[in-house]
Amino acid sequence: MKFNPVIVCDLDDVIRNLSDLSSKAGFKLERAQLALVKPNICGIYHPSLDLLSSIAEFLLSDTESVVIGETRSMMHDPEEQFKRLGVDALLKRFSGHVRAVDLSNDEWVKVRISNPHALGEINLPKTALTSDVLVNVPKAGTHSTTRITCALKNLFGLLPQKHKYSTYHPLGMDKVIADIAQAINPDLNIADAGTKAILAVDALAVDTVACRFMNIDPLKVEHLRLVSEDRGEKLEEFIKKMKVVEV
């Protein structure tokens, strides 16, 4: 397995130099029709609007159109959040080439999980599966159930059902997150960690590094262990092989 580096830098540096830093992380943007950006919009922690703007601008350099997509949660509807958080105002900079979309209204596609912990299959929005590029943009934070919420937990927000909490939490959230990680793999993950940012093509690597900013032992985060083990490797070994580059 190839291990691309995890880049840790100031958030402002990512906003100014995303092309260079994403290249250092092993991501290469190639000509594409559609890029999907998945920020955490309907959860508790929201990434920087300046970061979202920088990502959209970067993607449009070689992509026909960009969708900023989110699904409904028990707390929020995307359209309300896009307006409240300033995403709608942000779109005006891009002359119609960037859209904010409620992915719960998308066609749902059933995806089978090859090595299920809790779910034999899941529904995902078609756009999440057919976009040429998927950029995962979480805001790192602590979580009462899963200890951390970051790149892997943010993918839970792709499940299109509004009542995710009541449907999936009883099954064990760490197990559900690990199942989702088998179904969808972002091309680039950019975590807003306050004044810092973490970039990597591997969501597991981003989350492992994010733990240090929250003073959490990654070995005690069950979904990190499960995702690593689903790849055939103990998390301890994965951590030893990781290359973290601080810029």
Side-chain angles (χ1 to χ4, degrees), residues 70-74 76-78 102 104-105 161-162 164:
E70 177 65 299
T71 66
R72 297 167 197 162
S73 71
M74 290 183 69
H76 301 294
D77 285 340
D102 179 350
S104 292
N105 292 329
Q161 299 93 333
K162 180 175 178 64
K164 298 178 185 63

Side-chain angles (χ1 to χ4, degrees), residues 37-49 51-52 55 68-73 75-78 81-82 84-85 87 135-143 148-158 164 190-192:
V37 179
K38 168 57 178 80
N40 187 353
I41 294 293
C42 287
I44 299 172
Y45 306 103
H46 312 119
S48 156
L49 272 183
L51 176 59
L52 286 181
I55 292 168
I68 297 174
E70 177 65 299
T71 66
R72 297 167 197 162
S73 71
M75 296 186 295
H76 301 294
D77 285 340
Q81 287 292 89
F82 290 145
R84 187 177 75 85
L85 297 175
V87 176
V135 181
N136 185 22
V137 192
K139 175 74 178 278
T142 58
H143 193 275
I148 71 163
T149 175
C150 198
L152 290 166
K153 173 70 165 54
N154 193 43
L155 298 178
F156 176 72
L158 284 173
K164 298 178 185 63
I190 307 173
D192 178 340

Side-chain angles (χ1 to χ4, degrees), residues 25-66:
F27 174 75
K28 182 180 179 181
L29 180 61
E30 298 178 344
R31 191 69 186 163
Q33 290 292 317
L34 176 64
L36 173 61
V37 179
K38 168 57 178 80
N40 187 353
I41 294 293
C42 287
I44 299 172
Y45 306 103
H46 312 119
S48 156
L49 272 183
D50 288 337
L51 176 59
L52 286 181
S53 179
S54 176
I55 292 168
E57 185 174 351
F58 166 57
L59 291 171
L60 283 175
S61 68
D62 220 4
T63 306
E64 292 291 329
S65 64
V66 174

Side-chain angles (χ1 to χ4, degrees), residues 168-204:
Y168 295 108
H169 276 243
L171 302 177
M173 273 300 302
D174 290 289
K175 294 176 181 179
V176 171
I177 292 168
D179 286 342
I180 296 168
Q182 294 180 50
I184 196 152
N185 185 30
D187 298 286
L188 178 63
N189 304 272
I190 307 173
D192 178 340
T195 60
K196 295 290 186 179
I198 309 164
L199 293 81
V201 296
D202 187 349
L204 176 60

